[in-house]
């Protein structure tokens, strides 16, 4: 089949559409009878834009949408109009605000910000925790960090990683979640349910809209039983910098890729809610692309290259998407076991929004999704939203492990294929070499490419930020 390529003439301004809640798809919402000290706080967002938690800053509280990111460790909120966000924290209106005057800056895979370390009351709205006096960054300037044309604009970020990843590097501040654990006795664990987008057609437009997702602090298997189904499988946290794990293999439609498993962990593998795509070693990416290229007929080699670059979306029918193969990520388990995370094409093909006004013939949008390729090459492996979305994930920091169970919203987009987890005995030893797949790669280049917060480079990599740039 031939992919329909979206052709846009000059688009002078970014398109915006009012997104409406589709309540019929939200049957997984937390019921009132859940007996837990810490209820699940709702998140909004889609894989293309990351997921956001409402957080309140100051006295009286001012609410903002804050990106939930397990690949960094700083809490930060826009603090002036110059920061570039759609709104910002007005410090003069808070009676509990204090400025330490300590400068701080963080650079990410996409974007950067700078500001000062401040202190004030902060609350994770809906989480069941109390307002907490904490240090955080007040953003006063940014570069490509806040996205004005996003349907889900954010005004800050909460890094849920370890303190070893926090800035300023010389004297890193205590991450906000660590403060909750120490000051309020919150169990040292949290869970994320990141639901894939629901694609709807309204007024001729294709709209990738949010299905309510959740974050729960102090999470246990029983407390998130309404957000998950089936058995839980755990992989050890092997590095308390990022949430480091060990990948022992990958497969396409159940056939294991012929890739040295040490490459998956060179220099590291980690689970990151701030990254849209599943990032894999170059050798694994090439093998996956080679297989998918036999399943899809492209109009030209140029179209093929643009599709697999992941930065432009193509029109596909849902029926065709379901004919494409699944991709499996195999993680090391405990006690000599391993388990597979199945990622269906409806997850690794990232849904994007497209306005009817952007195409010459709007009828081509009818009955189709616009999807960008959500598997990309890097050094090591980043298990981003594309691979997390089918599952509810518990970050059990106290137990030094990460748990996966099939999410109750794993087919929220309406596709029939349901993800699964399979476990087996394993004898694989797949620790990384610390290099990027070859002896010629240096650790400095590796850190920059993988996007980890090493030497000032953060782990937020949302491919959807580029998805507004359609083909001309």
């Amino acid at each position: 089949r031939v992919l329909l390529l979206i052709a846009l003439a000059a688009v002078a301004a970014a398109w915006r559409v009012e997104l409406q809640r589709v309540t019929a798809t939200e049957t997984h919402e937390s019921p009132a009878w859940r007996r837990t000290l810490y209820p699940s706080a709702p998140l909004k967002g889609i894989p293309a834009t990351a997921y956001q938690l409402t957080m309140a800053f100051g006295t009286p509280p001012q609410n903002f949408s804050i990106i939930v990111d397990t690949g960094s460790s700083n809490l930060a909120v826009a603090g002036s109009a110059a920061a570039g966000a759609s709104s910002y924290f007005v410090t003069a209106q808070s009676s509990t605000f204090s400025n330490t005057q300590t400068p701080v800056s963080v650079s990410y895979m996409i974007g950067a910000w700078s500001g000062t370390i401040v202190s004030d009351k902060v609350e994770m709205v809906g989480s069941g925790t109390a307002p907490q006096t904490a240090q955080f960054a007040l953003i006063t300037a940014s570069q490509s960090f806040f996205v004005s044309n996003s349907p889900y604009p954010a005004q800050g970020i909460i890094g849920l990683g370890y303190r070893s990843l926090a800035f300023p590097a010389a004297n890193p501040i205590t991450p906000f979640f660590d403060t909750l654990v120490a000051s309020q006795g919150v169990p040292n664990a949290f869970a994320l349910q990141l639901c894939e987008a629901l694609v709807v057609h309204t007024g001729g437009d294709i709209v990738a809209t949010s299905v309510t997702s959740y974050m729960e602090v102090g999470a246990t298997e029983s407390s998130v039983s309404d957000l998950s189904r089936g058995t839980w499988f755990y992989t050890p946290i092997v590095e308390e910098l990022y949430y480091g794990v060990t990948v022992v293999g990958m497969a396409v439609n159940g056939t294991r890729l012929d890739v040295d498993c040490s490459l998956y962990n060179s220099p590291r593998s980690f689970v990151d809610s701030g990254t849209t795509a599943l990032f894999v070693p170059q050798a694994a990416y090439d093998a996956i692309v080679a297989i998918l290229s036999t399943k899809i007929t492209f109009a030209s080699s140029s179209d093929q290259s643009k599709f697999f670059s992941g930065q432009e979306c193509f029109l596909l029918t849902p029926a065709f998407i379901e004919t494409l193969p699944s991709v499996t990520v195999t993680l090391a388990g405990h006690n000599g076991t391993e388990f597979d995370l199945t990622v269906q094409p409806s997850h690794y093909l990232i849904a994007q929004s497209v306005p009817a006004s952007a195409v010459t013939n709007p009828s081509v949008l009818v009955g189709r999704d616009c999807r960008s390729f959500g598997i990309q090459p890097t050094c090591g492996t980043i298990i981003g939203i594309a691979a997390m979305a089918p599952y509810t994930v518990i970050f059990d920091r106290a137990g030094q492990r990460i748990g996966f169970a099939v999410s109750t919203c794993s087919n929220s987009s309406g596709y029939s294929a349901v993800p699964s987890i399979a476990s087996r005995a394993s004898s694989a030893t797949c620790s990384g070499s610390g290099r990027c797949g070859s002896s010629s790669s240096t650790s400095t280049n590796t850190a920059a490419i993988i996007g980890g917060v090493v030497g000032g480079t953060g782990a937020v990599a949302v491919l959807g930020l580029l998805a507004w740039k359609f083909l001309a």
Side-chain angles (χ1 to χ4, degrees), residues 16 25-26 33 76 110 136-137 173 177 202 204 232 237 292 378 384 396 400 404:
R16 302 182 185 184
T25 68
E26 297 185 356
W33 50 259
I110 297 176
F136 57 93
I173 65 171
F177 185 76
T202 175
W232 283 88
I237 295 175
L292 288 177
T378 190
D396 181 4
Q400 295 182 307
F404 295 82

Side-chain angles (χ1 to χ4, degrees), residues 25-98:
T25 68
E26 297 185 356
T27 57
H28 67 285
E29 189 163 349
S30 298
W33 50 259
R34 290 185 78 234
R35 295 182 179 179
T36 176
L37 181 61
Y38 304 103
S40 297
L43 305 176
K44 63 182 178 181
I46 57 177
T49 64
Y51 293 78
Q52 299 156 21
L53 173 72
T54 299
M55 297 190 70
F57 294 78
T59 307
Q62 301 172 43
N63 287 4
F64 299 97
S65 294
I66 305 297
I67 293 172
V68 173
D69 178 29
T70 62
S72 65
S73 298
N74 282 80
L75 172 62
V77 66
S80 70
S86 55
S87 61
Y88 61 92
F89 178 38
V90 182
T91 59
Q93 295 179 5
S94 174
S95 62
T96 48
F97 175 78
S98 175

Side-chain angles (χ1 to χ4, degrees), residues 406-419:
V406 175
S407 170
T408 53
C409 68
S410 58
N411 60 347
S412 59
S413 63
Y415 285 82
S416 60
V418 177

Side-chain angles (χ1 to χ4, degrees), residues 204-221:
D205 301 328
I206 297 176
V207 181
T209 190
S210 176
V211 174
T212 303
S213 302
Y214 293 95
M215 174 180 175
E216 183 173 303
V217 302
T220 64
E221 291 182 18

Side-chain angles (χ1 to χ4, degrees), residues 169-420:
N171 185 26
I173 65 171
T174 301
F176 182 72
F177 185 76
D178 293 43
T179 301
L180 289 182
V181 172
S183 300
Q184 299 190 23
V186 173
N188 196 10
F190 63 88
L192 294 176
Q193 182 195 53
L194 308 178
C195 300
E196 64 177 318
L198 175 70
V199 178
V200 296
H201 291 74
T202 175
D205 301 328
I206 297 176
V207 181
T209 190
S210 176
V211 174
T212 303
S213 302
Y214 293 95
M215 174 180 175
E216 183 173 303
V217 302
T220 64
E221 291 182 18
S222 59
S223 73
V224 295
S225 60
D226 59 311
L227 304 181
S228 61
R229 56 174 178 259
T231 303
W232 283 88
F233 296 86
Y234 290 86
T235 186
I237 295 175
V238 298
E239 181 186 33
E240 293 187 358
L241 179 70
Y242 306 94
Y243 288 98
V245 297
T246 301
V247 175
V248 299
M250 292 185 183
V252 176
N253 257 10
T255 301
R256 185 71 69 98
L257 301 181
D258 185 17
V259 174
D260 183 342
C261 68
S262 67
L263 296 182
Y264 294 117
N265 308 292
S266 299
R268 59 175 55 88
S269 298
F270 59 97
V271 183
D272 182 13
S273 66
T275 294
T276 293
L278 167 62
F279 280 85
V280 302
Q282 186 71 52
Y285 171 81
D286 291 343
I288 293 169
V289 168
I291 294 171
L292 288 177
S293 295
T294 68
K295 310 293 183 181
I296 305 171
T297 301
F298 293 90
S300 67
S301 59
S302 175
D303 284 357
Q304 181 174 0
S305 176
K306 289 172 181 176
F307 175 75
F308 287 119
S309 75
Q311 296 184 10
E312 294 167 345
C313 67
F314 287 67
L315 290 171
L316 300 166
T317 64
F320 178 66
I321 290 172
E322 293 209 88
T323 68
L324 297 175
S326 62
V327 173
T328 299
V329 178
T330 303
L331 295 177
H334 287 89
N335 302 318
T337 64
E338 63 186 36
F339 62 92
D340 298 332
L341 299 177
T342 302
V343 184
Q344 301 292 344
S346 61
H347 290 96
Y348 68 71
L349 297 178
I350 308 297
Q352 308 286 352
S353 297
V354 181
S357 60
V359 297
T360 304
N361 178 13
S363 65
V364 301
L365 304 182
V366 177
R368 292 183 172 89
D369 295 357
C370 197
R371 299 277 181 159
S372 58
F373 190 53
I375 302 175
Q376 293 299 310
T378 190
C379 297
T381 305
I382 306 177
I383 300 173
I385 295 169
M388 292 178 66
Y391 305 99
T392 296
V393 185
I394 293 179
F395 293 79
D396 181 4
R397 293 155 55 104
Q400 295 182 307
R401 60 182 188 165
I402 298 176
F404 295 82
V406 175
S407 170
T408 53
C409 68
S410 58
N411 60 347
S412 59
S413 63
Y415 285 82
S416 60
V418 177
S420 60

